[in-house]
Amino acid sequence: MVLVTGAAGQIAYSLLYSIGNGSVFGKDQPIILVLLDITPMMSVLNGVLMELQDCALPLLKDVIATDEEEVAFKDLDVAVLVGSMPRREGMERKDLLRANVKIFKSQGAALEKYAKKSVKVIVVGNPANTNCLTAAKSAPSIPKENFSCLTRLDHNRAKSQIALKLGVTADDVKNVIIWGNHSSTQYPDVNHAKVKLQGKEVGVYEALKNDSWLKGEFITTVQQRGAAVIKARKLSSAMSAAKAISDHIRDIWFGTPEGEFVSMGVISDGNSYGIPDDLLYSFPVVIKNKTWKFVEGLPINDFSREKMDLTAKELTEEKEAAFEFLSSA
């Protein structure tokens, strides 16, 4: 049982086919898809339901479209929480936070009440890190390690920027890291990244020999890529977001390749990088048997330290604001 929320939206429209055709959970895993959205979107959602039926996907055993949490969250194995309150013009970040705390408190409580305790929860709706923490806090009997938020899109953006600069494919670049918040304070770090050139693996800094680009334009390009897409398309990233969600879930399900790590927002408890506990922060992780572990022992230079602390500070402030709303919500 797989739930996608915000299922009438454009990210879901790009995502649902990938889930249904087996490219996320494997080609031999039958799926029941549950689609949740708000009541005013039910007519659009029924159109999406019709299209999924019309795809005639052999693995898709059933599709349920609903606007009720008690239907949507029942017996779930995986919940992909894409739906959130988008930021409207003239809206303060804290207003956005308040609206989303309400949504994710309610969905966390629904997970607690109806879903399997082994459910894996992936939060995409922004502000993703803090929404994820809110949901986890509202579902105390589900292990907090089961909650993660999407920073894979940033990870993939970083990977592709390096590949473009070196004239290789994205597949030849591995072990980039996104530290921190899925916001413009995130820190894309390639100090530990490797690239395959002429058949051998080289460090990215060594391969590029362009430190000023790596410490400047590269970082800001990745941090602001979402805004650049909106400016160009007049819509936010959907195809690339859906691809990143698929990558994120597939890695949870099947594990990360040997010698490779990926970025995801996870609970910071027990990390060895000096990030405060009880934050939902993006780290480099390896995954095996559906369980993630921090990549330990990476040396952190002063440049990185400052950027990692800056995004931790923003997350701490977001968390404090959210928890104020949480207690009053």
Side-chain angles (χ1 to χ4, degrees):
M1 293 273 283
V2 179
L3 164 69
V4 176
T5 72
Q10 56 151 4
I11 292 177
Y13 193 75
S14 289
L15 173 67
L16 291 167
Y17 178 71
S18 298
I19 294 176
N21 75 4
S23 50
V24 177
F25 295 103
K27 300 289 182 192
D28 49 8
Q29 175 62 60
I31 284 171
I32 297 171
L33 250 184
V34 189
L35 313 178
L36 175 71
D37 216 311
I38 54 175
T39 311
M41 297 303 288
M42 283 312 284
S43 153
V44 176
L45 194 58
N46 282 322
V48 175
L49 174 73
M50 287 189 255
E51 281 208 72
L52 278 167
Q53 291 167 342
D54 299 348
C55 285
L57 295 162
L59 291 172
L60 210 47
K61 293 301 164 211
D62 195 9
V63 186
I64 299 155
T66 183
D67 56 358
E68 291 174 52
E69 286 184 346
E70 56 271 34
V71 175
F73 286 87
K74 192 118 189 67
D75 298 332
L76 291 181
D77 297 291
V78 178
V80 191
L81 308 183
V82 181
S84 65
M85 163 76 83
R87 192 167 182 166
R88 306 244 158 79
E89 208 135 338
M91 201 181 201
E92 290 289 324
R93 196 172 167 85
K94 67 171 188 298
D95 299 332
L96 182 70
L97 210 54
R98 182 185 281 123
N100 280 299
V101 163
K102 207 173 151 196
I103 295 168
F104 285 85
K105 181 183 184 179
S106 171
Q107 295 190 348
L111 284 162
E112 174 78 6
K113 196 168 171 187
Y114 302 112
K116 293 179 182 172
K117 296 306 173 196
S118 58
V119 67
K120 301 289 186 195
V121 183
I122 296 91
V123 176
V124 179
N126 284 318
N129 299 57
T130 300
N131 287 346
C132 188
L133 192 59
T134 301
K137 294 282 180 195
S138 308
S141 71
I142 296 169
K144 49 183 184 248
E145 294 73 28
N146 289 20
F147 288 81
S148 60
C149 83
L150 187 78
T151 55
R152 185 59 170 267
L153 177 53
D154 310 303
H155 179 100
N156 287 349
R157 285 165 172 164
K159 218 171 138 154
S160 78
Q161 286 302 311
I162 299 295
L164 286 166
K165 193 81 170 167
L166 284 166
V168 298
T169 62
D171 213 30
D172 291 327
V173 181
K174 68 174 193 184
N175 297 352
V176 304
I177 301 169
I178 303 296
W179 297 100
N181 198 359
H182 175 63
S183 74
S184 58
T185 68
Q186 61 170 270
Y187 170 43
D189 176 8
V190 291
N191 284 294
H192 314 284
K194 302 259 189 285
V195 57
K196 200 183 281 171
L197 289 176
Q198 282 102 43
K200 63 172 196 286
E201 278 190 354
V202 193
V204 164
Y205 267 84
E206 191 189 331
L208 264 172
K209 299 180 177 55
N210 188 344
D211 291 16
S212 65
W213 181 78
L214 282 171
K215 287 183 166 171
E217 195 186 326
F218 162 71
I219 291 175
T220 51
T221 299
V222 176
Q223 287 173 333
Q224 293 162 16
R225 186 70 159 185
V229 171
I230 290 175
K231 197 171 171 214
R233 273 191 87 225
K234 311 289 178 271
L235 291 164
S236 59
S237 319
M239 179 174 31
S240 55
K243 158 68 166 58
I245 296 164
S246 298
D247 290 347
H248 178 118
I249 301 171
R250 191 187 316 106
D251 284 346
I252 290 177
W253 222 246
F254 295 106
T256 45
E258 197 58 46
E260 268 187 56
F261 48 76
V262 294
S263 308
M264 53 174 71
V266 293
I267 194 75
S268 60
D269 297 7
N271 78 85
S272 61
Y273 294 106
I275 303 304
D277 281 355
D278 206 36
L279 286 181
L280 215 292
Y281 187 100
S282 179
F283 287 94
V285 298
V286 288
I287 306 165
K288 201 175 175 176
N289 304 326
K290 298 190 174 62
T291 306
W292 59 265
K293 283 193 171 75
F294 295 121
V295 175
E296 299 288 6
L298 298 172
I300 303 297
N301 60 29
D302 292 346
F303 179 81
S304 295
R305 180 77 266 161
E306 190 183 328
K307 294 214 167 326
M308 287 161 69
D309 290 345
L310 185 78
T311 189
K313 182 173 174 280
E314 181 182 62
L315 278 170
T316 304
E317 288 163 5
E318 262 186 38
K319 172 186 146 175
E320 282 163 4
F323 282 18
E324 255 171 66
F325 300 139
L326 197 55
S327 52
S328 60

